[in-house]
Amino acid sequence: MMILHGSAVSVYTAKLRIALHTKGLAFVEREPEGGYRSAAWRERQPTGTIPALEVDGVLLAESEAVVEYLEDAHPTPRLLPGTPLQRAQARFLARYHDLHLEPRVRALFPLVRDGARAPAQVQAAAAALQERVDLLGRLARPEPFLAGAGLTVADLGMVASVPLGALLLDALGQALSLPPSLQSWLDAAQAHPAVAAGLAPWRLATDRWLTAAFVPTGAS
Ligand SMILES: N[C@@H](CCC(=O)N[C@@H](CS)C(=O)NCC(=O)O)C(=O)O
């Protein structure tokens, strides 16, 4: 059976969990022993990142490469739309998530943990994320999923990162404003059974993490 090495709190692990559920594949999930920053994990996965999918003893890393593997090895149900142009657009949005949107969510983590945060710093980080979310609203025409009528690679990371951005901003006293088209997309995507199943452990772990990690302003 395949092993998903990852962490419940990780967006990229959620991305692969959703892909595995979409394809109805059996897998077990494990946290790297000693954590993903440990020497033991680097010994196994030299770039040290999670998630990694273990298939027949081979460890595959980088979530986009893993999703492509799953699409190659288990083509149905598909995670890419029908025509080459539609497929390219879906892949573009998946890359937009990894390269442009998620880093702006990640930038909020140190602010959540640091009670010495300055209001101007928080506002700048919130505006930076809002800019990437607004741009997503211009790049995608959800129908209702980001790249068409079905769930695709375009939705996998975004469906965790967008709500995570909203949660982190909320903890920081800010609000993320979703264009109406993206709110409809998020509602539809979160109701998809594979997304709901894939996000459940992430949601639980994220709520726990936020409660434990948030430091009120002035408390550090
Ligand atoms: N490009 C990687 C990103 C994965 C990633 O950033 N994972 C984080 C945890 S969510 C990680 O492993 N960070 C390594 C570290 O902080 O040392 C992928 O798509 O798999």
Side-chain angles (χ1 to χ4, degrees):
M1 189 182 303
M2 289 187 280
I3 304 172
L4 175 60
H5 297 271
S7 162
V9 83
S10 147
V11 157
Y12 288 94
T13 304
K15 174 176 165 177
L16 291 192
R17 197 184 299 114
I18 295 167
L20 288 159
H21 281 304
T22 305
K23 290 184 179 289
L25 297 167
F27 66 99
V28 291
E29 196 166 329
R30 285 197 197 141
E31 291 245 359
E33 231 169 276
Y36 61 83
R37 292 196 171 97
S38 67
W41 178 241
R42 278 182 188 277
E43 197 60 43
R44 291 203 66 192
Q45 206 300 83
T47 60
T49 59
I50 50 154
L53 187 68
E54 188 171 340
V55 186
D56 297 335
V58 177
L59 217 50
L60 305 170
E62 284 300 325
S63 60
E64 279 303 291
V66 178
V67 171
E68 284 195 31
Y69 161 76
L70 291 174
E71 192 67 6
D72 278 348
H74 307 278
T76 50
R78 293 159 53 146
L79 274 169
L80 283 169
T83 71
L85 260 181
Q86 290 169 330
R87 294 158 84 85
Q89 178 66 358
R91 288 187 175 111
F92 163 73
L93 290 172
R95 300 275 288 169
Y96 179 75
H97 169 266
D98 290 7
L99 299 177
H100 300 287
L101 191 140
E102 189 276 340
R104 301 263 168 118
V105 176
R106 190 177 290 222
L108 301 173
F109 281 105
L111 294 176
V112 166
R113 287 187 299 244
D114 185 1
R117 69 184 80 81
Q121 219 185 349
V122 173
Q123 279 155 19
L129 174 59
Q130 186 67 57
E131 188 247 330
R132 293 290 154 94
V133 168
D134 289 345
L135 190 49
L136 175 64
R138 288 173 51 206
L139 292 169
R141 295 271 168 278
E143 332 172 43
F145 295 97
L146 285 180
L151 187 78
T152 72
V153 296
D155 302 290
L156 300 179
M158 219 67 97
V159 80
S161 282
V162 170
L164 178 59
L167 274 174
L168 296 176
L169 283 186
D170 185 55
L172 292 165
Q174 304 283 315
L176 184 67
S177 156
L178 277 192
S181 65
L182 290 185
Q183 188 58 60
S184 311
W185 155 72
L186 194 56
D187 293 343
Q190 287 181 336
H192 187 289
V195 173
L199 285 187
W202 167 82
R203 217 177 271 291
L204 208 66
T206 300
D207 285 348
R208 279 206 193 114
W209 180 85
L210 250 180
T211 308
F214 179 72
V215 178
T217 299
S220 63

